Amino acid sequence: MRNKVVWVLTALLGLASCIALYQFVLESESNVPVQNSLDAVAMLENPPAAVPSSRAKQPDILTYWANQEKKSEQAGLTETAAAYRNRIDVYTAGLPSLPLMKPNRLNIQTPSTNMELYLRVPMSAQSVQSAQPLKPTQSAIPAASTLAKHEPASGVYIGMLGADRRVGYDVTKIEDVYGRKHALYLSYVGWRKVQTDTNTYFPARTAERVKELDGALQIGWEPRFGLDDVQDDEYVRRFAREAKASGIPIFLRYASEMNGAWVPWHGEPQKYIEKFRLIHDIMSEEAPNVAMVWSPNFWPPDTIDSYYPGDAYVDWVGFSLYSTPISAEKEQLKGTVIDTFAPLYKRYSHKPIMISEGAVAHTYLPTNQAYWSWAESQLGYMYGLLPRLFPQVKAITYFNFSKAQAIRTNGTYVYDIGENPFMDGYYQRLIASDWFLSKVEPGVDPIQYRYTPVLDRSLPSGQQTVLVYPKLTNEQGKPPFAIAIYQGNQFLGVSYESPWEIDIGVQSESASEPWYVIAYNDQMEVTAVHSGVAPIAQANPVTP
């Protein structure tokens, strides 16, 4: 792997103390009682009828757990198999009796920030919200005529760097290993490096393989000799012509993570902007199939804006986004990538956004400590909740980096999905949804709805689909085992997995009753309650 990998991994460890402080600030701000934790401000007075579910047909959660238990037993992973058996047992035992919650016992002065409820509404209702301010998880959805290069109208391109143990950089194996064809394949290219197998500057051999897969290529193009070496010369022009000759969609992530001191193109924002615009102009002339991706790291956030080249020069905005269990050499399990990503999304959601390089660490190599179940839940936030809460996220590329590769490059974490038995099946389950796209097709529009926050005390009558966002506020970083929704004394539905979507039916005679959402841990104990009126005063959250 290239030096880029070392920079990323070293930076994540070296800047960990800053990250811990940033997460603390985010969580502290979430305690302000005026609004909920994501500043929800939009509300539909007359929500339209529910639209059909987009979820792909796949085994129900109980069947999935049973299949995973069997696979774990066959692989000799007895502890993993036992964990799945425990889930099955708790599920089979069922939810506890309906809690006795009465509206007159609610404290409306202190709304809960542990969970947030969203209602699925069709895109035709977007105009209803147009006069309302936008919250961080909302953006003005562009009309089809204003879509950026290679941008789908809705949905998320799935991508991968196949540096894991099973794929071993052979992109042709990804579909067989992970159960679904991917749309994007990530490759890194060093500045002025000749690809000896094809005698090109552009990674032509990789592009040929990707073309055979009917895929697209994301290229991390890195000016390793600094910005002064970036000129309008034969090297850049030839690279551009070779990119055009590939005949496939190219996402050119030029000089990414410029806001981080670990890269040699950091530190001179004005010169960076000048060089980015130069590359943009050359690609516009030579390679119309190339989309320019401006892609900072999620950290440090305070220097990102100064490097922005301008809307006219950026087709897509990308972010490197990682979830790791250690910060400043201390365990830090609280929070998720949503906490980090929300403020970035608010600033750049006028463009299509890709998680150009993202992953969840499940093993900390200095101590060889595994965080398998924690990583499983974090993956659910990245692939389950994040795309639904942030509809301008149009691509996610997983940085699938094996333990062997991490050791070879003196890395700190293992990101390989296949080396965590909880993540392996779960990733395949998550990307089976038709939210995820297996081919780059500009303008394709598979998702005809959005989620809008529910701020009213009651829910609309009829068949609806809701989504619950549970913010991880406990020190163990444990998600709920189950989340159930009630209205008055009526049970409406329950979910046992991210993205915590629940199909409900609200009777017209009880539609005026207040709703409330309850989170349970794997002992079926109540850990959090959120209500359309207020948090339940007598139910103090119990750390799961």
Side-chain angles (χ1 to χ4, degrees):
M1 194 63 185
R2 295 162 176 80
N3 289 336
K4 170 67 166 62
V5 176
V6 179
W7 293 329
V8 170
L9 297 176
T10 302
L12 288 172
L13 182 62
L15 295 173
S17 60
C18 297
I19 294 173
L21 176 60
Y22 181 56
Q23 290 177 331
F24 173 76
V25 171
L26 284 174
E27 290 153 2
S28 298
E29 292 176 345
S30 72
N31 291 324
V32 178
V34 177
Q35 297 171 323
N36 67 15
S37 64
L38 284 181
D39 260 347
V41 294
M43 179 169 57
L44 296 178
E45 293 182 0
N46 297 294
V51 294
S53 171
S54 75
R55 282 165 283 177
K57 292 182 180 178
Q58 52 187 311
D60 61 74
I61 189 64
L62 195 61
T63 302
Y64 168 71
W65 286 339
N67 290 340
Q68 292 302 112
E69 178 196 0
K70 183 178 179 180
K71 290 179 181 178
S72 299
E73 287 283 11
Q74 292 173 343
L77 300 170
T78 56
E79 292 185 5
T80 305
Y84 281 117
R85 279 197 300 274
N86 182 69
R87 296 181 188 184
I88 294 170
D89 291 343
V90 176
Y91 177 99
T92 304
L95 294 173
S97 299
L98 182 67
L100 296 176
M101 306 290 186
K102 296 183 179 180
N104 60 8
R105 300 182 67 183
L106 301 177
N107 180 1
I108 61 174
Q109 300 299 318
T110 312
S112 171
T113 60
N114 289 329
M115 291 182 288
E116 296 170 8
L117 185 67
Y118 293 78
L119 177 69
R120 180 183 294 183
V121 298
M123 284 301 296
S124 60
Q126 194 74 24
S127 60
V128 178
Q129 301 180 50
S130 59
Q132 299 284 351
L134 295 173
K135 61 174 292 184
T137 58
Q138 295 175 310
S139 65
I141 308 301
S145 60
T146 63
L147 294 175
K149 190 177 294 186
H150 307 324
E151 181 186 357
S154 65
V156 179
Y157 296 138
I158 44 174
M160 182 173 286
L161 170 71
D164 54 309
R165 183 177 57 185
R166 294 176 295 186
V167 171
Y169 294 102
D170 184 352
V171 295
T172 64
K173 295 180 179 179
I174 289 178
E175 182 176 1
D176 287 340
V177 171
Y178 293 102
R180 188 170 180 187
K181 179 183 173 295
H182 284 48
L184 291 176
Y185 303 88
L186 173 58
S187 178
Y188 293 94
V189 177
W191 196 257
R192 300 193 185 280
K193 181 177 180 180
V194 176
Q195 308 294 316
T196 56
D197 56 344
T198 55
N199 194 31
T200 59
Y201 292 127
F202 182 82
R205 183 73 68 211
T206 299
E208 289 173 4
R209 293 175 178 172
V210 170
K211 188 173 185 178
E212 292 173 358
L213 298 170
D214 199 19
L217 190 60
Q218 184 203 146
I219 297 176
W221 199 21
E222 304 182 326
R224 52 184 174 162
F225 304 121
L227 293 172
D228 289 336
D229 193 46
V230 178
Q231 304 292 332
D232 185 352
D233 57 15
E234 179 58 21
Y235 165 67
V236 176
R237 292 279 175 175
R238 180 178 163 187
F239 185 98
R241 291 192 295 269
E242 291 169 350
K244 178 183 178 180
S246 71
I248 62 174
I250 302 294
F251 294 83
L252 187 59
R253 186 161 58 112
Y254 166 75
S256 63
E257 302 186 355
M258 76 301 295
N259 58 314
W262 55 89
V263 297
W265 48 91
H266 166 78
E268 298 181 90
Q270 289 307 310
K271 182 178 289 188
Y272 175 88
I273 290 172
E274 173 192 334
K275 300 300 184 180
F276 192 99
R277 290 177 174 181
L278 172 65
I279 297 299
H280 168 273
D281 291 346
I282 293 173
M283 293 300 156
S284 294
E285 295 173 18
E286 302 277 6
N289 59 320
V290 170
M292 291 296 295
V293 181
W294 176 75
S295 186
N297 196 291
F298 74 96
W299 193 266
D302 56 338
T303 60
I304 290 176
D305 296 347
S306 63
Y307 286 90
Y308 188 62
D311 288 350
Y313 299 91
V314 174
D315 295 309
W316 288 62
V317 170
F319 289 102
S320 297
L321 188 65
Y322 287 83
S323 182
T324 59
I326 303 296
S327 178
E329 299 185 2
K330 293 183 180 180
E331 195 173 73
Q332 171 59 46
L333 305 179
K334 181 191 293 187
T336 71
V337 291
I338 290 178
D339 302 324
T340 305
F341 183 67
L344 302 176
Y345 183 85
K346 188 175 184 179
R347 278 144 54 189
Y348 292 104
S349 59
H350 63 289
K351 289 285 187 178
I353 294 176
M354 65 165 56
I355 306 305
S356 46
E357 182 183 302
V360 176
H362 59 74
T363 302
Y364 181 59
L365 286 175
T367 62
N368 206 35
Q369 175 68 44
Y371 294 87
W372 285 358
S373 59
W374 175 85
E376 177 192 23
S377 70
Q378 293 286 317
L379 191 70
Y381 280 86
M382 182 175 287
Y383 281 86
L385 283 162
L386 188 143
R388 290 162 174 82
L389 293 177
F390 303 93
Q392 276 298 91
V393 173
K394 301 294 183 70
I396 302 178
T397 296
Y398 193 86
F399 190 83
N400 209 13
F401 207 58
S402 70
K403 181 176 182 178
Q405 293 281 11
I407 291 173
R408 185 175 66 83
T409 56
N410 296 316
T412 305
Y413 298 107
V414 181
Y415 300 108
D416 188 340
I417 293 170
E419 294 186 61
N420 179 342
F422 290 109
M423 289 177 64
D424 194 18
Y426 195 33
Y427 176 77
Q428 296 179 51
R429 184 169 175 82
L430 288 164
I431 65 170
S433 166
D434 61 5
W435 269 89
F436 293 99
L437 308 174
S438 293
K439 183 180 180 180
V440 172
E441 295 182 280
V444 67
D445 194 12
I447 309 301
Q448 296 297 311
Y449 60 86
R450 291 290 183 267
Y451 281 104
T452 186
V454 177
L455 301 183
D456 202 356
R457 69 186 300 275
S458 59
L459 292 167
S461 61
Q463 297 299 311
Q464 309 289 343
T465 298
V466 295
L467 175 148
V468 181
Y469 163 49
K471 183 179 175 66
L472 288 189
T473 57
N474 63 84
E475 295 297 332
Q476 290 73 30
K478 291 190 67 175
F481 177 80
I483 296 178
I485 181 169
Y486 304 83
Q487 189 159 37
N489 290 324
Q490 181 185 7
F491 167 77
L492 298 182
V494 63
S495 176
Y496 292 86
E497 61 180 334
S498 181
W500 307 107
E501 290 175 311
I502 308 174
D503 296 324
I504 63 174
V506 180
Q507 301 298 321
S508 58
E509 58 269 21
S510 61
S512 62
E513 292 288 329
W515 57 266
Y516 54 96
V517 177
I518 299 180
Y520 300 91
N521 65 12
D522 57 8
Q523 303 297 314
M524 280 302 176
E525 299 166 334
V526 174
T527 61
V529 179
H530 179 60
S531 169
V533 177
I536 306 303
Q538 73 273 20
N540 295 319
V542 178
T543 301

